[in-house]
Amino acid sequence: MATPPWIRRTAGVLLGTALTVGSPVTLAEIGDVLETPARETKLADENLLTDLERAGDRLVAVGERGHIIYSDDQGETWRQAEVPVQVTLTGVDFPNATKGWAVGHGGVILHSPDGGESWEKQLDGWEAVEKLAASLEEKIARMKEQIEEAPEEEKADLEWDMEGVQITLENLKADQALGPWKPFLDVAFQNATTGFAIGAYGFVFRTTDGGETWQDWSSNVPNPDGFHLNGLAELTGGALLMVGEAGTMYRSTDEGESWESVQSPYTGSWFHVIATGNVNEAIAFGLRGNTFRTTDMGRSWTAVTDTSDSTLNNGVVNGDGRITLVGNGGAVLVSTNDGESFRPIFRDDREGVLDAEPISDTEMLLIGEGGVKRTDLKGRNL
């Protein structure tokens, strides 16, 4: 049986291209890396890192092989955290200085109660698929009741809808033979108890109790084709925006209880969306540098044309309003006018950059294929 491409990628959509591992991963090996703690290495800050987040004054970064590192001196030195898995981790979020969550391949969700020093597993792909199957079975049962009570002229359409859900369930059960290989790609918490983990093939899970329980939330997002979901952001003002492949965009104005499709200005893949800090404003970006800006929660979008052709992976807003987007080929794009325009540069090493974080009025950290890099605010090495 062919190994699914999401197993073979070390960075998945975050790099915008498949970085193929030398040998296929077997089902047994997937199980192993979900049960085996990450190995300690002095090179963790030099290997592939995929996401960077602040936990109060602390910096926390996640990456391949279950590596999580943290720094209490603005990135001068790094320590490696205790992590119970060896899968590639793709996203991290801290709603406060102590409580944090990280997600990654194998459908894994990790939680830290101590600012990123230690981590525990709250969910993995084995349990995630079981939860998803159970929710689909419940949905089919409800649809059968609805069909029985519906007028005769409505039954055919309802039966058609139910057949689609049944096919999804059948495909899901067939996928279970491959094991827990579907990755989560982003995690975002609105506060210390409520958050979302999203990912491949329409994976959406929600918690309202700090991760004590995770609920499959996929059926609340109108994503019948199961497109990959890559990025999620909370806008100033409270709205949530979620983006993914094939131009998919979704908005929630009730704290994630329900979601609606947003008319996308672009049909290619979005890799992330970030809030600018202004009310209802956000910037979405992705494949080949396509970048769009909204000032009304995604109801309308304006193209940002002076970016680059490089795939963009992530971004950050400085305290002074400066916006930095980063991407493949060493791309670093800076805006000082709320994202209306950007000035791109390309780093000499041309290594893919996956996230950035300002550490002073003149310096920032970049992470990506080459680990951690200390730069000026334009992305140039110091």
Side-chain angles (χ1 to χ4, degrees):
M1 182 177 293
T3 305
W6 282 98
I7 295 178
R8 294 185 279 111
R9 295 181 183 184
T10 61
V13 298
L14 290 169
L15 286 178
T17 184
L19 302 178
T20 306
V21 181
S23 59
V25 179
T26 67
L27 177 58
E29 288 171 333
I30 297 170
D32 287 346
V33 295
L34 283 172
E35 301 297 334
T36 306
R39 295 178 181 175
E40 186 175 355
T41 172
K42 295 181 179 180
L43 302 177
D45 62 334
E46 299 179 19
N47 292 332
L48 174 68
L49 296 169
T50 59
D51 202 16
L52 177 63
E53 175 75 0
R54 280 199 176 274
D57 294 329
R58 173 175 287 175
L59 292 162
V60 182
V62 303
E64 64 179 343
R65 302 188 183 92
H67 293 164
I68 299 181
I69 58 176
Y70 59 95
S71 173
D72 291 320
D73 55 12
Q74 300 300 300
E76 288 284 350
T77 59
W78 295 86
R79 287 180 284 178
Q80 188 173 351
E82 299 176 10
V83 181
V85 297
Q86 289 188 3
V87 297
T88 293
L89 300 172
T90 55
V92 61
D93 190 38
F94 278 81
N96 60 37
T98 57
K99 293 185 177 182
W101 283 264
V103 298
H105 288 202
V108 72
I109 300 177
L110 306 176
H111 170 60
S112 173
D114 54 13
E117 293 183 27
S118 64
W119 296 80
E120 60 186 6
K121 185 168 59 174
Q122 290 187 331
L123 186 77
D124 64 26
W126 299 111
E127 185 181 358
V129 170
E130 290 177 0
K131 287 178 178 288
L132 182 55
S135 66
L136 288 173
E137 289 169 349
E138 291 174 3
K139 184 174 183 178
I140 291 170
R142 292 194 302 270
M143 295 177 84
K144 286 180 178 178
E145 293 179 359
Q146 185 180 4
I147 291 170
E148 290 177 0
E149 299 172 359
E152 200 62 37
E153 63 271 17
E154 296 179 8
K155 288 184 183 293
D157 288 342
L158 293 173
E159 288 171 349
W160 176 267
D161 292 340
M162 186 178 71
E163 184 178 345
V165 179
Q166 289 172 327
I167 291 172
T168 300
L169 178 59
E170 291 170 4
N171 290 338
L172 179 68
K173 290 183 175 180
D175 282 347
Q176 283 183 295
L178 297 172
W181 57 271
K182 294 180 180 179
F184 285 114
L185 299 171
D186 196 20
V187 58
F189 269 71
Q190 297 146 273
N191 50 55
T193 58
T194 303
F196 286 89
I198 65 173
Y201 301 98
F203 254 18
V204 181
F205 278 75
R206 185 190 191 213
T207 182
T208 57
D209 56 12
E212 291 293 326
T213 58
W214 284 90
Q215 183 178 0
D216 169 46
W217 212 249
S218 307
S219 62
N220 294 288
V221 179
N223 184 15
D225 295 313
F227 288 125
H228 305 326
L229 301 172
N230 298 328
L232 174 63
E234 181 177 7
L235 279 55
T236 301
L240 299 173
L241 281 180
M242 181 161 53
V243 299
E245 69 171 333
T248 50
M249 283 185 161
Y250 305 99
R251 174 178 56 233
S252 175
T253 56
D254 57 7
E255 299 182 344
E257 288 289 335
S258 62
W259 294 82
E260 60 182 340
S261 294
V262 173
Q263 183 64 45
S264 176
Y266 169 63
T267 58
S269 289
W270 302 110
F271 287 146
H272 225 305
V273 57
I274 62 170
T276 67
N278 297 325
V279 175
N280 295 338
E281 285 190 7
I283 298 173
F285 45 87
L287 195 64
R288 300 187 182 93
N290 282 279
T291 304
F292 287 77
R293 178 175 176 266
T294 181
T295 59
D296 55 11
M297 295 188 296
R299 294 187 178 91
S300 62
W301 295 86
T302 302
V304 182
T305 58
D306 55 347
T307 53
S308 73
D309 292 332
S310 292
T311 289
L312 299 174
N313 299 313
N314 213 330
V316 65
V317 180
N318 290 27
D320 61 1
R322 180 189 301 262
I323 300 172
T324 302
L325 305 182
V326 294
N328 291 359
V332 179
L333 289 66
V334 178
S335 172
T336 56
N337 58 3
D338 295 326
E340 293 184 15
S341 63
F342 285 83
R343 180 171 296 179
I345 73 158
F346 291 88
R347 291 173 45 78
D348 292 340
D349 58 27
R350 296 287 175 164
E351 292 178 330
V353 186
L354 275 79
D355 204 359
E357 183 66 38
I359 55 175
S360 74
D361 293 338
T362 58
E363 298 179 24
M364 68 177 176
L365 296 181
L366 303 179
I367 64 159
E369 290 184 275
V372 181
K373 307 287 185 182
R374 181 181 292 269
T375 74
D376 65 15
L377 294 180
K378 295 182 178 179
R380 299 172 300 195
N381 284 349
L382 297 174

